[in-house]
Structures are given as structure tokens and as C-alpha cells.
Amino acid sequence: MISILLQQEPIDAARVQAEAGTAADGAVVSFIGRVRDNSRGKTVTHIEYEAYTEMARKQLRKIVDEAVARWSLNSCCVVHRFGPVMVGEASIIIAASAPHRGAAFQAVQYIIDTIKADVPIWKKEFYSDGSSWINGKE
Amino acid sequence: MKIKVKAFASVREAVGFEEKELTVSEGITVKDIVHQLKKSHPPLDKFNGSLLFAINEEYCREAAELSDEDTLAIFPPVSGG
């Protein structure tokens, strides 16, 4: 099962993890990306994510389809926030399941790295004294 | 022909619009449109060669030609995740 979600609401990580995997899977690997309270020496209050939603959905689907085929995943779920995300909150969760852990670990690493490079979503960091768009990978 | 131009994130702020309809001539390329936009919106200049483009939600190169009713998106390097 594949599921791709772009949403403004907070991510229910426990639910995504609980719903991941099938009876044939010995491994569920999940990655949660969170908003840090600091960036380049500044105090971060929150991040605003902007997405080109139609294209982002297509790109996410492409990346997940590739990962499912390459590592024979039985399930894969990606949820990405847009709008304001506060410090400590999850901006993204990826949960992949496979019969064995090696495939699931590699797939999740591939998916997050490729999302950061290819999916049209941008973050604007807000500090105690201003804000700044982040262009490109950190 | 008519096309739609969408701008995102720091590019949206530089050009001051989210979406705009343009009437352009046949055979126009992404590069031509960016050139025009830079003239009318000088803050775009700071992006130099880093701009990314998509036609109808698929990445494309600067040399790509537009067709009637296409949607061209212009944006900075992505930073999601």
C-alpha cells in the first residue's frame, strides 16, 4: 500500500507507524524530520513550508514508486506538512515496510534524500529577529 | 498564445505575483520568458543560474519551448523535508 499526503495539520506519527507494514513484513523503518530550535547560530521559532502541491504530489509519488520497485517494499507512507510548523513538530514522516530490515532502511534513506533534492517544497525559517528562505539542500 | 506563469517561495516574493497569465508568441522558450521577467522584475537577477523550471508540473530546461495553455512554474532550489 502506498500513501502520499501533503497536509497542514500536525502529523500523527504513532498512527502512521502503527498502520505501516503487512503480515509479510519483518521490518518497518520510519524517519521523522522535525523543526530544530536553531539554525546557523540563530534561534528558530518556526518554519513555514510552501509547496507547489500538484507537482509535489506527483514527484513524491514518482520517488515512492521507484523505492517500492527497487527495494520490494510492501508498504510506504509519506506525509509532508505545509504552512507553519512549530519547533519540535514533525515536518515529514516516511514509513516503509519490507520483509527484511536492510531494504527498508535503504529505501527510507533514498526517499528522504531524493525528496530534499527534487520535490518542489520550500522552507522559510522564522527567527527571534527576522526570517529567511532556505534555498537548496542544507 | 496564452500561458500561465506560477512563481514560488523566494521567486514569488521577487516577482510579486503567485500566478500570472501572459500572451506570448509561438516558439517562445523558458529562457525568453525569464529574460522578460528579469527586465520587469529586477530582484529576479539575484538568482543567477539557480532558478528551476517546470512546464505542466514536470521539470524542464531553460531551452524548453512553451505551447498554448501551458503552465510554467519558476522557483528556487527546493528545501523541503
Side-chain angles (χ1 to χ4, degrees):
Chain A
M1 197 201 70
I2 289 172
S3 112
I4 311 274
L5 276 173
L6 284 169
Q7 66 179 40
Q8 247 180 313
E9 304 73 39
I11 293 171
D12 186 345
R15 188 173 160 191
V16 172
Q17 284 162 330
E19 287 176 356
T22 68
D25 293 322
V28 173
V29 170
S30 64
F31 168 78
I32 296 172
R34 304 199 320 162
V35 173
R36 271 193 317 272
D37 68 358
N38 67 91
S39 175
R40 284 159 292 172
K42 295 198 168 204
T43 303
V44 173
T45 56
H46 68 285
I47 289 178
E48 290 232 6
Y49 284 87
E50 178 171 330
Y52 182 4
T53 47
E54 305 91 329
M55 181 173 169
R57 266 196 209 99
K58 277 192 189 174
Q59 288 290 124
L60 284 168
R61 181 71 205 216
K62 237 185 249 180
I63 293 164
V64 168
D65 282 349
E66 270 167 35
V68 165
R70 182 161 161 198
W71 286 285
S72 302
L73 305 177
N74 285 321
S75 81
C76 187
C77 172
V78 177
V79 185
H80 200 305
R81 298 273 301 273
F82 63 91
V85 182
M86 306 313 286
V87 165
E89 287 185 352
S91 55
I92 185 170
I93 184 166
I94 301 164
S97 75
H100 302 286
R101 68 185 182 283
F105 271 118
Q106 286 177 35
V108 170
Q109 173 93 58
Y110 168 81
I111 292 167
I112 184 62
D113 289 349
T114 313
I115 286 173
K116 283 180 172 280
D118 285 351
V119 177
I121 298 175
W122 303 269
K123 53 168 83 101
K124 188 177 200 177
E125 290 179 344
F126 285 77
Y127 315 110
S128 38
D129 63 343
S131 63
S132 166
W133 283 105
I134 307 301
N135 290 336
K137 279 188 277 186
E138 286 171 44
Chain B
M1 58 185 198
K2 272 208 171 99
I3 62 155
K4 221 185 265 175
V5 178
K6 284 175 182 262
F8 291 93
S10 49
V11 171
R12 171 176 54 73
E13 289 182 357
V15 296
F17 66 82
E18 263 175 57
E19 195 176 309
K20 198 178 219 176
E21 272 208 350
L22 293 181
T23 304
V24 296
S25 48
E26 300 267 334
I28 197 163
T29 64
V30 173
K31 197 174 179 172
D32 298 332
I33 291 169
V34 172
H35 185 70
Q36 283 184 17
L37 282 175
K38 278 184 175 173
K39 274 200 222 158
S40 47
H41 306 276
L44 254 193
D45 263 335
K46 70 173 181 218
F47 292 93
N48 292 320
S50 72
L51 291 174
L52 297 173
F53 313 102
I55 296 176
N56 303 333
E57 299 158 16
E58 297 287 344
Y59 280 108
C60 69
R61 297 187 181 277
E62 228 184 359
E65 276 186 27
L66 286 126
S67 308
D68 194 26
E69 303 284 317
D70 276 352
T71 297
L72 167 66
I74 305 177
F75 47 81
V78 304
S79 57

